[in-house]
Amino acid sequence: MQAFWAGLILSATGAVASADALNVVSWDGAYVKSQILGYIRDYEQASGNRVNVIQYTGGIDEIRSQSRAWNVSWEVIDLELYDAIRACNEGLLETIDLDDMPAAPDGTPARDDFINHRATPCGVANVASATVISFDPQRFETPPDALEDFFDLDVYPGKRALRKTPQGNMEWALIADGVPRDKVYDVLSTEQGLNRAFAVLNRIKPHVQWWETGQEAIRLLETEQVVMSSAYNGRVGAAIDRGESLDILWDNHVWYYDVWAIVKNGRNPDLALDFIRFASKTESLVKQVKYISYGPMRHSAVAMLDEKVRDRLPTSEAHLKTALELDAVWWSENLDRIQPRFERWLERSIMVPKALPR
């Protein structure tokens, strides 16, 4: 089985595909598996085109390098929305007309069927996911039930894990410190608020391991290197489905959605658009949910899901009651200001006040 998946997925440093193939850049693990089984295989069979899936960990540096050099091998890319906004503003992505996307099965135009009010003209929304807290309930007498518990080392001692990025972590720090969800970005926009978020993160920093891929987060939990970790809800769900003793803390989960985008100056933008049309069909999005619990960004796709399936999604009515939507526009405007400070903060050591059992 490992050899099978290795044949399907190329690393970002692997060989560039032949000219008649399409390179699609996406994430890792259960997520890319859901895309391959949800619609990439179907697209290859229906179109006769070969799709090579390249894994990455986010960001737009490589897109910028390829597009400006007119040497594009990353033709289609699954981007976090804030990165899509940034790349679009820099002129690194092609614009995509929603009228070019397939209508819903009942004939509703795609423009009216997609859930979001487009934040960027360069992307087509695919699925909504969430960053949640995950843990093994068997490792606690009283399992954590609130975001604040993640930051409470006295009641819940042990190592934590967080994604190596300021997005989501800064918001969680402020919420855990008492800032209401609807005021988080107002507070984070001030220097005082930014200092406050870093001060909260300082309290747990000596006990944090940092991950960059969704698979890493799950592996840290499975191998008991940490007692709690931020994680993508779909990755946790996939681990639970295969028998891992994990649970999801939905309190104050941060939800967001990704978009498909086409890197400018590529060799075959028409083929890239053809793939996005197929991947964005209602039927494709519905099939993807069979393999990962992420919410499709089309009304028609959500309507076709079983109620039990919808209840597992980060966009379910119950889960949204205590959720924070990541403000992608805010991050697109502030990431270049905050990221360097976050990286400098990571490099600084903080004295561990006492040894804590894992």
Side-chain angles (χ1 to χ4, degrees):
M1 182 60 73
Q2 284 185 326
F4 170 77
W5 285 115
L8 271 174
I9 303 172
L10 301 177
S11 72
T13 57
V16 176
S18 59
D20 59 349
L22 183 69
N23 286 352
V24 174
V25 180
S26 186
W27 305 84
D28 67 331
Y31 183 61
V32 72
K33 176 183 176 181
S34 75
Q35 292 173 323
I36 290 171
L37 298 182
Y39 47 78
I40 290 177
R41 274 179 161 185
D42 292 343
Y43 174 73
E44 289 183 317
Q45 293 175 2
S47 67
N49 299 316
R50 176 183 171 85
V51 175
N52 298 300
V53 183
I54 300 170
Q55 293 183 5
Y56 85 135
T57 58
I60 66 172
D61 288 345
E62 183 64 23
I63 299 171
R64 187 184 292 119
S65 174
Q66 291 187 19
S67 180
R68 290 179 178 175
W70 285 73
N71 186 24
V72 175
S73 58
W74 288 16
E75 296 165 293
V76 178
I77 186 165
D78 185 316
L79 280 166
E80 292 173 279
L81 180 57
Y82 58 83
D83 275 338
I85 296 172
R86 296 168 66 220
C88 190
N89 290 342
E90 289 188 32
L92 305 175
L93 304 175
E94 302 282 357
T95 58
I96 302 176
D97 190 343
L98 277 185
D99 291 332
D100 287 336
M101 296 298 107
D106 66 358
T108 301
R111 184 173 296 278
D112 298 324
D113 193 37
F114 277 91
I115 292 173
N116 68 309
H117 302 285
R118 290 189 91 193
T120 173
C122 298
V124 177
N126 49 34
V127 292
S129 52
T131 299
V132 297
I133 301 298
S134 184
F135 57 92
D136 180 352
Q138 296 182 9
R139 300 184 67 187
F140 299 94
E141 290 185 11
T142 303
D145 62 4
L147 173 65
E148 290 80 2
D149 295 337
F150 186 85
F151 293 85
D152 191 337
L153 292 166
D154 293 325
V155 177
Y156 295 96
K159 291 285 187 179
R160 275 81 165 130
L162 289 168
R163 185 183 178 190
K164 199 174 184 179
T165 178
Q167 298 94 308
N169 294 330
M170 309 300 288
E171 291 94 323
W172 270 353
L174 290 180
I175 293 171
D177 204 42
V179 177
R181 281 190 297 271
D182 62 352
K183 300 296 182 184
V184 163
Y185 290 104
D186 291 337
V187 174
L188 203 53
S189 295
T190 68
E191 190 65 19
Q192 182 181 11
L194 194 59
N195 291 340
R196 181 177 176 182
F198 275 113
V200 175
L201 290 172
N202 272 340
R203 297 203 296 262
I204 64 170
K205 182 182 178 183
H207 311 285
V208 172
Q209 295 194 41
W210 301 94
W211 57 266
E212 297 187 68
T213 71
Q215 285 180 305
E216 286 181 272
I218 299 302
R219 186 160 55 251
L220 287 169
L221 289 165
E222 291 174 339
T223 57
E224 299 188 358
Q225 295 181 60
V226 300
V227 297
M228 285 186 266
S229 178
S230 66
Y232 304 130
N233 77 284
R235 312 299 180 93
V236 182
I240 293 172
D241 289 344
R242 67 171 181 264
E244 294 295 334
S245 177
L246 294 177
D247 203 349
I248 292 177
L249 174 58
W250 286 102
D251 183 52
N252 285 294
H253 77 266
V254 180
W255 79 273
Y256 39 83
Y257 62 91
D258 283 15
V259 301
W260 286 116
I262 301 172
V263 180
K264 186 169 284 188
N265 303 326
R267 294 177 177 85
N268 202 336
D270 291 336
L271 180 59
L273 184 62
D274 185 61
F275 170 80
I276 293 177
R277 285 195 191 102
F278 192 94
S280 300
K281 290 195 309 179
T282 297
E283 297 83 356
S284 295
L285 294 174
V286 169
K287 189 174 179 182
Q288 182 181 5
V289 180
K290 292 180 179 180
Y291 304 102
I292 199 162
S293 52
Y294 290 159
M297 291 297 289
R298 294 189 70 148
H299 293 290
S300 58
V302 174
M304 292 174 66
L305 299 176
D306 180 87
E307 184 177 355
K308 290 183 179 179
V309 175
R310 290 200 299 267
D311 288 345
R312 295 184 64 187
L313 304 180
T315 49
S316 73
E317 183 177 352
H319 292 155
L320 285 178
K321 288 180 180 178
T322 60
L324 172 73
E325 180 178 3
L326 187 87
D327 191 330
V329 174
W330 189 91
W331 275 110
S332 72
E333 296 170 349
N334 290 275
L335 184 59
D336 288 340
R337 174 176 66 91
I338 295 176
Q339 183 69 37
R341 177 173 175 180
F342 181 77
E343 291 174 356
R344 292 193 299 271
W345 174 81
L346 284 176
E347 294 173 356
R348 291 198 301 269
S349 297
I350 295 177
M351 185 71 69
V352 180
K354 59 180 180 179
L356 295 174
R358 285 200 303 112

